[in-house]
Amino acid sequence: QLLSTDGSVEVVLRDGESVSAFVEAAVRDSLQRRVDQADFVARGLRSIQAAKAGEPTVSVAQVMRKLEARLERARKRAAAAK
């Protein structure tokens, strides 16, 4: 339960944090998330148009091989760190 029984947000504030600072940070975070989402969609749409225009694409198999190699390297680093 994030709010107290009377609906106040004070129960979630950090030491020295005001309600207005909390709200300002929440609004800023929300705005950044929306900008990031819009950028993501725009990149996706550009990528679709590029593929339709015949520009080179990367296959799922190529992506998976690269991801699997990265995962294997990370696992080796983690094992070596133990």
Side-chain angles (χ1 to χ4, degrees):
Q1 179 175 340
L2 293 179
L3 298 178
S4 64
T5 53
D6 67 356
S8 64
V9 297
E10 282 83 4
V11 295
V12 298
L13 297 178
R14 295 186 176 124
D15 286 340
E17 183 179 37
S18 66
V19 172
S20 61
F22 174 80
V23 170
E24 180 184 349
V27 169
R28 200 175 319 110
D29 291 346
S30 182
L31 288 170
Q32 187 60 56
R33 198 169 26 261
R34 288 187 183 193
V35 167
D36 293 344
Q37 288 172 341
D39 289 346
F40 177 80
V41 169
R43 286 192 311 273
L45 293 173
R46 283 193 306 271
S47 181
I48 289 169
Q49 290 303 320
K52 286 181 179 179
E55 292 185 26
T57 60
V58 179
S59 72
V60 172
Q62 289 172 304
V63 172
M64 291 305 297
R65 279 194 301 275
K66 287 182 180 183
L67 289 173
E68 287 167 355
R70 288 177 66 181
L71 179 59
E72 186 58 31
R73 286 192 303 272
R75 284 180 174 150
K76 286 180 181 177
R77 280 192 306 270
K82 287 184 180 179

